Amino acid sequence: TFVGSGGIDTEGGRRIRITGCVLCQDSRVTSGGVYYAAVFERLFQELVDASACVREVACIRSGAPRCVFEIGR
């Protein structure tokens, strides 16, 4: 799946949460959050709003319980 063996859900209408983010758990990958933020941003720009932007606000690599991405403009 898109998040491997992890899980994905939303928090409100502006946050996407990934639990068990495979890319961020892999020490060989240095930018898992950047990858997901870019993919989510492009999807939202194409499907919802061309001015959408997405940024990672929490990451398991930094000690958070899950990776969280915030959708804005």
Side-chain angles (χ1 to χ4, degrees):
T1 66
F2 181 68
V3 294
S5 60
I8 188 169
D9 66 358
T10 60
E11 178 183 329
R14 298 274 181 202
R15 288 190 168 200
I16 300 167
R17 303 183 303 190
I18 299 177
T19 305
C21 180
V22 176
L23 289 180
C24 292
Q25 291 178 16
D26 188 338
S27 62
R28 299 170 296 170
V29 177
T30 59
S31 59
V34 172
Y35 166 78
Y36 283 116
V39 170
F40 292 140
E41 184 171 280
R42 188 67 177 151
L43 284 171
F44 276 89
Q45 287 174 344
E46 288 294 322
L47 300 173
V48 180
D49 184 340
S51 65
C53 63
V54 176
R55 65 186 181 102
E56 186 176 34
V57 295
C59 182
I60 61 171
R61 188 168 281 184
S62 299
R66 66 190 57 83
C67 295
V68 180
F69 300 86
E70 193 169 78
I71 305 160
R73 294 177 113 189

